[in-house]
Amino acid sequence: RCDIVPGRSESCAMYGSVRVQPDPKYIAEVVVLVTTLRAKRTEYNACKRVKDLLEIKRVHFKPIDFNRDARQAGSGESEQIAIKRLLEQGKLKTGENDELILPQVFIDGCAIGGIDDLQEKEDDDTLDALLLRRDPTRKVDEILPGMMTIEQALQEFCIQGREEEGDWDDDEDYESGECDEEEEEGVGGEHDAAVAGPVR
């Protein structure tokens, strides 16, 4: 089930419900160009591997689905903004016949590559440095600043949990912010400082 509630992340409509609660310590913006079109099996499987790797690490990411039907299911605003900006910056990689290569991962606006490149950085222990913004000389150029944020994802995660438990009274809890206390308890003391970091 994936009901759209005002203020909730559009990724719910584009790439399924949030399954793993993201960890706020990862403060970098992660944008992933994907396809949920199963007919393109190789690309679909590679996109799923990217999604699985990030979810295992509990990294919040912003999926941009190039499956037209999936985009039409949501508002499409975030996707169009991301695509337009990446095109203007010349960051979209294409293959033969100018077909878009998928998946593509961007961290703070920097092109990382596909699943093999992402996995290589994870294996080399260099991925966390990017996700935690440990390099002060690295430029932060978010693709979707203030959109599809981790705060929205955490709120969405809370809503889903309430719905599954049957302890949800319409949207009153969401609007009153009763989820906030539970989310803060789940963050843990060691991440308190990260929560105060830049909004992504």
Side-chain angles (χ1 to χ4, degrees):
R1 179 180 177 180
C2 189
D3 300 325
I4 302 301
V5 175
R8 289 174 64 178
S9 171
E10 293 173 14
S11 63
C12 182
M14 291 188 297
Y15 210 75
S17 301
V18 176
R19 295 183 299 170
V20 180
Q21 183 171 353
D23 191 333
K25 76 177 182 180
Y26 295 118
I27 61 177
E29 181 201 52
V30 180
V31 172
V32 184
L33 308 187
V34 300
T35 180
T36 53
L37 186 62
R38 292 175 183 264
K40 296 187 175 183
R41 184 170 297 277
T42 300
E43 291 182 346
Y44 173 83
N45 289 338
C47 292
K48 186 176 183 303
R49 287 177 59 198
V50 168
K51 180 173 181 283
D52 289 346
L53 188 157
L54 294 172
E55 285 196 342
I56 288 171
K57 288 182 67 67
R58 295 179 59 201
V59 175
H60 172 62
F61 62 97
K62 304 176 181 182
I64 305 301
D65 195 342
F66 276 79
N67 177 359
R68 182 179 299 176
D69 292 338
R71 290 208 306 273
Q72 290 176 347
S75 71
E77 179 184 5
S78 297
E79 303 99 298
Q80 296 306 321
I81 291 174
I83 294 168
K84 182 175 182 291
R85 184 166 189 192
L86 289 170
L87 280 171
E88 290 174 347
Q89 295 177 344
K91 291 182 178 180
L92 291 180
K93 293 183 179 180
T94 57
E96 297 180 2
N97 301 321
D98 289 330
E99 289 190 4
L100 189 67
I101 296 174
L102 296 173
Q104 291 186 43
V105 181
F106 298 85
I107 299 180
D108 281 336
C110 178
I112 301 300
I115 178 57
D116 292 335
D117 304 287
L118 189 67
Q119 186 66 61
E120 182 179 355
K121 289 188 178 300
E122 172 68 359
D123 294 341
D124 292 344
D125 293 326
T126 58
L127 182 57
D128 273 20
L130 297 176
L131 297 173
L132 296 168
R133 289 181 177 169
R134 286 179 176 161
D135 185 355
T137 65
R138 193 176 186 87
K139 182 181 178 181
V140 175
D141 184 21
E142 293 190 358
I143 298 169
L144 292 170
M147 303 181 73
M148 300 167 66
T149 65
I150 190 172
E151 289 78 15
Q152 292 173 330
L154 288 171
Q155 196 69 266
E156 178 181 306
F157 188 91
C158 175
I159 291 173
Q160 290 172 358
R162 292 287 183 85
E163 288 177 344
E164 291 172 2
E165 294 172 3
D167 182 24
W168 192 256
D169 183 12
D170 297 325
D171 296 333
E172 292 181 5
D173 289 340
Y174 174 81
E175 293 174 355
S176 66
E178 290 186 13
C179 287
D180 295 343
E181 182 177 351
E182 294 181 7
E183 289 164 5
E184 290 173 2
E185 291 176 357
V187 170
E190 65 181 86
H191 303 324
D192 289 345
V195 177
V199 175
R200 56 232 176 266

